[in-house]
Amino acid sequence: MKVAVVGGGVMGAATAWRLAKRGADVVVYDRHSPPHALGSSHGESRIIRTAYFEGSWYVPLLQEVFGLWRELEGISGKRLLTMTGALMIGGESSENVAGALAAAKEHHLDAEFLDTEALRRRYRGHVVRAGDVAVLDRQAGILNPDASVAALLAHVPHVESETEVRSISDLRGRFDRVVVAAGPWTPELIDWLPLSVERQVHGWFSFARDAEAGSWFTPDRFPAFVRFSDESGFMYGIPSLDGKTVLTSKYMRGVSGHVTRTLTCMYTNTPDGHFVIDFSPEDRSVVVISACSGHGFKFGPVIGDIAADLVLDGGTRRDISRFSAARFAPSPHVPHHDGHRDQ
Ligand SMILES: Cc1cc2nc3c(=O)[nH]c(=O)nc-3n(C[C@H](O)[C@H](O)[C@H](O)COP(=O)(O)OP(=O)(O)OC[C@H]3O[C@@H](n4cnc5c(N)ncnc54)[C@H](O)[C@@H]3O)c2cc1C
């Protein structure tokens, strides 16, 4: 089967890897030269975790994806995943703490609840205030996105870089199937999905002049984290990967306010923050992946495998019912009970 994949970011590259592995004749088109720093899949770190507060229905996919990342490491000889654990920090009823705890209980995950005292004692890099607690998710760590996308593309036989796809119908004539994984550019090709693009900036801060501080942020002592507070909302960070700086916020101890570097990147958000992995309602030979909303990278290989299932088998054994495009389809008009139709 001849398959065109639009987009060489983590979603398109992973899809092409899984399709090629299953013998499909696949071509990836990218408007830039992937891996590149103009979309959503670049930089030195992405958090991967399992006690998923966004929804426990993601957990089976996460339990599967670690094996696929290790498979990619095996065939590429590259270290892509560093296990550090992850802390969900906040008040006991905050979405990330309560959601991670619920997912951990439902799926019997390797996770631990830390009360305020335990959190303060064990993780000195964090400013811990009264009422702050945490869930330590041990099946979690950091992926290297630049190395990961390069490793994926190294296992894709045919990549057409600097080649912009202007319309899906251009490809439909030449290929049996088309996969659209265009990230923040998806709205240019798909007009029936309500997506919004959001600019994001990562910042690295140098350690404070406190001799001890640096030792608080090493990967073995400082899990990646997602923190929620009423006044600042969600923030996240990872341990120091260079021994000098840390990706952080004002909720840290031993960190100066000095920003040493930044990185810009883009989220592609759906209205409910969950993914779209589905056939096009207009043409079942077109599969659309919009799996971002700021949390898609970790799922790359398993979403790629699901997309390969949809392309080659017309369906998949995984439960992707929550990722259907139909949930955003405009609901058929219901006349108001007052008899007046909306204008
Ligand atoms: C700052 C930041 C932090 C994040 N942190 C995390 C995290 O910790 N954990 C996590 O799991 N996720 C995280 N994410 C989300 C994750 O990075 C994204 O979900 C993921 O990278 C999306 O990949 P993609 O392949 O869909 O998009 P992209 O990587 O943007 O790929 C789309 C590709 O399509 C190409 N393209 C577009 N239009 C066309 C066209 N018409 N013709 C040809 N090619 C085209 C582009 O050039 C691009 O290469 C983060 C994202 C950001 C921005």
Side-chain angles (χ1 to χ4, degrees):
M1 184 178 289
K2 283 183 60 123
V3 187
V5 175
V6 183
V10 69
M11 298 303 162
T15 299
W17 170 43
R18 304 310 289 179
L19 282 166
K21 192 174 163 82
R22 291 170 62 179
D25 175 4
V26 58
V27 180
V28 169
Y29 291 94
D30 201 287
R31 65 196 306 151
H32 300 297
S33 294
H36 59 76
L38 301 165
S40 309
S41 298
H42 57 282
E44 64 180 61
S45 64
R46 292 289 188 276
I47 298 173
I48 179 169
R49 46 197 167 85
T50 309
Y52 221 59
F53 68 81
E54 288 88 340
S56 62
W57 65 85
Y58 284 98
V59 173
L61 297 181
L62 290 159
Q63 290 172 316
E64 190 179 348
V65 83
F66 280 90
L68 294 169
W69 282 117
R70 293 303 188 199
E71 179 185 335
L72 184 61
E73 285 187 326
I75 60 173
S76 64
K78 297 271 188 289
R79 174 85 179 271
L80 306 174
L81 169 59
T82 304
M83 298 301 282
T84 63
L87 283 172
M88 302 300 113
I89 304 172
E92 223 162 300
S93 60
S94 63
E95 185 189 340
N96 58 335
V97 170
L101 214 49
K105 284 198 176 120
E106 183 181 335
H107 296 277
H108 312 291
L109 302 176
D110 183 3
E112 179 188 356
F113 177 80
L114 304 178
D115 63 20
T116 308
E117 213 22 63
L119 178 59
R120 189 175 283 135
R121 191 177 61 250
R122 284 164 61 173
Y123 299 106
R124 302 187 59 200
H126 288 288
V127 172
V128 179
R129 304 165 311 170
D132 283 343
V133 296
V135 175
L136 172 61
D137 175 358
R138 291 197 181 82
Q139 187 59 11
I142 303 164
L143 290 157
N144 178 326
D146 288 342
S148 300
V149 174
L152 288 165
L153 291 169
H155 292 84
V156 174
H158 191 171
V159 178
E160 292 282 341
S161 294
E162 306 296 335
T163 306
E164 181 183 352
V165 173
R166 296 197 177 278
S167 82
I168 297 170
S169 50
D170 286 358
L171 294 174
R172 275 295 293 114
R174 290 180 287 131
F175 291 88
D176 304 306
R177 300 286 186 280
V178 176
V179 177
V180 180
W185 292 271
T186 302
E188 294 178 9
L189 293 168
I190 302 283
D191 60 5
W192 43 266
L193 264 184
L195 300 173
S196 61
V197 176
E198 182 187 350
R199 184 172 175 275
Q200 285 281 320
V201 180
H202 267 178
W204 282 260
F205 294 74
S206 59
F207 296 152
R209 286 187 209 289
D210 174 329
E212 218 193 339
S215 68
W216 295 339
F217 301 108
T218 52
D220 59 331
R221 301 177 71 184
F222 189 81
F225 72 90
V226 178
R227 183 168 192 157
F228 181 82
S229 76
D230 294 334
E231 68 268 28
S232 305
F234 278 107
M235 64 212 89
Y236 57 85
I238 62 157
S240 175
L241 300 178
D242 62 8
K244 294 194 297 290
T245 62
V246 66
L247 176 68
T248 174
S249 72
K250 70 177 182 186
Y251 292 85
M252 315 289 292
R253 301 176 60 231
V255 172
S256 78
H258 173 57
V259 177
T260 60
R261 57 196 154 96
T262 59
L263 175 143
T264 303
C265 179
M266 293 185 277
Y267 284 2
T268 308
N269 299 318
T270 57
D272 60 10
H274 299 296
F275 307 152
V276 171
I277 309 169
D278 204 349
F279 297 103
S280 160
E282 298 165 348
D283 179 350
R284 279 185 71 81
S285 62
V286 176
V287 169
V288 176
I289 306 174
S290 182
C292 182
S293 298
H295 66 111
F297 196 96
K298 60 181 81 63
F299 296 92
V302 72
I303 289 177
D305 204 62
I306 290 168
D309 287 346
L310 297 182
V311 165
L312 299 174
D313 311 333
T316 183
R317 62 182 163 76
R318 287 83 166 209
D319 178 6
I320 56 170
S321 55
R322 300 215 183 215
F323 306 130
S324 78
R327 74 187 193 275
F328 300 122
S331 54
H333 180 71
V334 177
H336 287 301
H337 61 76
D338 62 2
H340 291 302
R341 302 188 68 77
D342 0 359
Q343 304 307 320

